[in-house]
């Protein structure tokens, strides 16, 4: 999950010198710097490249803006002409992301993994048809029924653009990939195959055609009742579990060869250090004997005290050393 | 789910003559009228009283307002003083709701059931700590960790107020009850017992202490992975399934003595009549042999064409007559 962010004073410094949020994503030097900041402070086992899921729609030709405190704004897709003007050849537009990955890889210690990522097609389509976030994406969900050809045409283009974006991130040096389907919980039940499983499966096949060994982690947020099905139908190597889902149940539902990642509530981390450490220990105990990556259930929130993250990282490092000793 | 609403011209007429949304909830004659409107047009088997889940916080003493297009606004709870000033004796404030129920019951045909309802404590607490809706209630979710005593004190008061509100609705003439936990999908996994199951179980016990025979339907929206657990731990007689959850899976998870209700996507109903009828038939086929109430997966949306609702109601009535013949 997102490690960089406003909770770090050194991030706020870079942010203050940038011309908006997207400028940070497209300035390799800034992206490298904020990617490395949490690793320098806390020494996590893996870094995740600083970027945003909306760089893909942006690269496809959509207008994307970030208004502080309001979240992303896009000019929503509505016509066939809009959809047909979407580019799928996004590699040169997104070259600053790949440059940032190459530079970050070069600066990171060899023992620290670097994770590249993308939004999943359904989640990106949500923003592209809605024109932003903040609600339950009813405009986007209605577009599935009202303009199915248009909608699924866009989904097809997204599969291609996302596949290329992930492949180019591995080419640049990413050691693992994560696919964020942040709004999969809002997909109508009868369309999970068309909206979630099939697009993700196609992307993973494309990526593994080029890089058979690259591990891919899926994050089907809000789909806690279907994690086993998600793993079996998409072919992910690992699955991120959100904070709304019981890890006990996830452990039962997810096949044992699949890595589980999760799921401390970022709001707990932001609030109560002692309870955070207690819950983190409970998570470790529960996941004994499983392939497991400790993580938050979602990205870190801006008002998180740095000291809480430090204490959690220290505890996890000590536990990890103890377990490997 | 909500049957009345802006999709009906006769509703818009009553709405135009009202001094805001809450005025309609507290004017028994208006509430009766808009409750009966969809029944007159479509002849559903059951009516649901026109009201709102936020009348309970309002009756407890919170300021509640509805801004058109923006949803509800409340002055959020933050201090112990705020919480301690919350009333639990809400019966006289809410007497217009009970009056509306009595009058509606008198006007409805004996063969049409009347459903009373309330929000569940967790969902009401979400609005009360957040100050409104529209997002993912992070202020409210953080209050669980930051001010646990305050938060669970409010939950306790809500259990009492909701229990009373439901009991008084049955006393006034409601034939069944529904408990809407619209945001249960956002409850942290480790706290499902404290936030969802236990408060709902206590309410149902209270209600059944007075009215042992009253059927209670729960609606744990967004908890598709835990429906069996929800039923077993709360004691509901029926469970509403949202449109994000596969009815096939719900059928497997929900114990057979429990009635299943759901789950046509209201956005499909608003968009495509033919596909609506096809999906409704699929739902009926899937639920053969189960205790089942056909319903939408959530409330009807404002831009739904009246003709779609008419066609769906007709089809369901014909199927029901065929099945009972």
């Amino acid at each position: 999950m997102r490690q960089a962010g406003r909770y770090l004073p050194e991030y706020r410094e870079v942010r203050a010198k940038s011309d908006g949020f997207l400028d940070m994503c497209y300035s390799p030097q800034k992206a490298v710097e904020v990617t490395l900041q949490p690793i320098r402070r806390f020494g996590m086992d893996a870094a995740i490249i600083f970027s945003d899921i909306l760089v893909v729609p942006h690269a496809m030709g959509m207008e994307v803006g970030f208004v502080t405190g309001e979240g992303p704004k896009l000019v929503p897709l509505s016509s066939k002409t809009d959809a047909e003007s979407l580019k799928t050849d996004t590699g040169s537009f997104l070259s600053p992301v790949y440059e940032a990955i190459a530079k970050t890889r070069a600066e990171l210690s060899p023992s620290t993994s670097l994770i590249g990522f993308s939004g999943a097609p359904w989640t990106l389509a949500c923003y592209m048809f809605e024109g932003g976030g903040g609600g339950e994406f009813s405009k986007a969900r209605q577009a599935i029924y009202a303009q199915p050809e248009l909608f699924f045409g866009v989904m097809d283009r997204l599969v291609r653009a996302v596949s290329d974006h992930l492949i180019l991130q591995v080419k640049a040096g990413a050691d693992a990939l994560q696919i964020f389907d942040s709004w999969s919980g809002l997909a109508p039940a009868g369309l999970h195959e068309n909206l979630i499983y099939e697009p993700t499966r196609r992307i993973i096949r494309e990526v593994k055609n080029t890089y058979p060994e690259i591990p891919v982690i899926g994050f089907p947020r809000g789909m806690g009742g279907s994690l086993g099905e998600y793993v079996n139908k998409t072919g992910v190597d690992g699955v991120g579990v959100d904070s709304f889902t019981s890890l006990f149940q996830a452990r039962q539902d997810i096949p044992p060869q699949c890595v589980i990642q999760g799921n401390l509530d970022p709001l707990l981390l932001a609030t109560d250090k002692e309870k955070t450490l207690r819950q983190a220990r409970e998570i470790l105990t529960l996941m004994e004997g499983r392939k497991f990556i400790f993580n938050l259930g979602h990205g870190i929130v801006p008002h998180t005290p740095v000291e809480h993250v430090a204490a959690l990282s220290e505890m996890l490092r000590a536990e990890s050393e103890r377990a490997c000793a």
Side-chain angles (χ1 to χ4, degrees), chain A:
Chain A
M1 301 297 151
R2 187 175 60 244
Q3 298 168 331
R6 277 186 279 154
Y7 73 108
L8 291 176
E10 59 268 36
Y11 175 95
R12 295 196 296 268
E13 236 175 76
V14 179
R15 180 74 180 78
K17 283 185 242 158
S18 305
D19 184 19
F21 178 78
L22 283 174
D23 172 48
M24 291 173 79
C25 297
Y26 296 134
S27 308
Q29 212 47 60
K30 287 174 185 160
V32 172
E33 167 59 22
V34 296
T35 300
L36 294 173
Q37 285 171 351
I39 308 301
R40 281 190 208 120
R41 271 199 190 248
F42 312 115
M44 290 94 163
D45 297 327
I48 185 160
I49 191 68
F50 178 83
S51 185
D52 192 85
I53 62 168
L54 294 180
V55 298
V56 167
H58 198 209
M60 293 171 88
M62 294 194 72
E63 284 183 48
V64 176
F66 282 84
V67 187
T68 309
E70 286 185 43
K73 297 276 168 213
L74 296 84
V75 178
L77 296 175
S78 63
S79 72
K80 224 179 141 204
T81 324
D82 291 351
E84 281 169 359
S85 69
L86 289 174
K87 297 185 261 291
T88 53
D89 182 15
T90 56
S92 70
F93 188 98
L94 293 175
S95 62
V97 177
Y98 313 129
E99 195 184 327
I101 286 178
K103 286 187 167 149
T104 306
R105 186 58 277 171
E107 294 213 20
L108 275 176
S109 120
S111 63
T112 307
S113 301
L114 178 59
I115 304 172
F117 73 89
S118 174
W122 160 250
T123 287
L124 296 177
C126 278
Y127 289 99
M128 291 161 79
F129 281 91
E130 193 78 15
E136 293 204 306
F137 295 98
S138 21
K139 256 175 80 181
R141 283 153 61 206
Q142 182 141 17
I144 309 169
Y145 304 125
Q147 301 165 290
E149 271 186 54
L150 174 68
F151 187 90
F152 285 100
V154 171
M155 287 288 285
D156 265 337
R157 281 168 195 256
L158 280 165
V159 166
R160 281 185 276 159
V162 168
S163 301
D164 285 356
H165 185 45
L166 291 172
I167 288 169
L168 290 171
Q169 290 182 74
V170 182
K171 193 177 168 201
D175 306 297
L177 296 171
Q178 182 150 344
I179 300 175
F180 288 90
D181 220 343
S182 313
W183 301 109
S184 53
L186 295 177
L191 296 171
H192 282 169
E193 172 62 21
N194 308 66
L195 296 172
I196 312 292
Y197 303 146
E198 198 244 1
T200 307
R201 184 167 64 232
R202 280 169 62 198
I203 290 165
I204 292 176
R205 273 194 204 144
E206 277 297 315
V207 171
K208 298 227 174 190
N209 256 340
T210 315
Y211 295 106
E213 303 298 328
I214 192 82
V216 181
I217 303 164
F219 181 53
R221 184 164 174 263
M223 275 188 93
S226 310
L227 294 181
E229 189 173 49
Y230 175 84
V231 171
N232 291 326
K233 295 203 169 169
T234 60
V236 290
D237 305 290
V239 64
V241 178
D242 60 45
S243 306
F244 316 125
T245 303
S246 140
L247 264 193
F248 182 80
Q249 197 187 321
R251 195 192 150 107
Q252 289 182 316
D253 296 347
I254 295 171
Q257 75 279 10
C258 181
V259 177
I260 298 176
Q261 175 181 288
N263 78 342
L264 190 108
D265 191 342
L267 293 169
L268 179 59
L269 177 65
T271 318
D272 190 322
K273 190 171 77 174
E274 293 313 316
K275 275 195 202 152
T276 290
L277 296 177
R278 208 180 316 145
Q279 202 186 317
R281 284 201 185 90
E282 282 171 21
I283 290 175
L284 293 179
T285 306
L286 182 64
M287 300 312 293
E288 266 172 27
R290 285 295 294 245
K291 296 181 187 172
F292 180 61
I293 299 167
F294 185 92
N295 209 316
L296 302 183
H298 207 199
I300 198 159
V301 299
H303 56 282
T304 306
V306 174
E307 192 225 339
H308 292 193
V309 186
L312 176 61
S313 304
E314 264 165 53
M315 188 278 273
L316 291 168
R317 191 174 314 104
E319 286 295 323
S320 172
E321 277 161 17
R322 210 173 54 90
C324 298

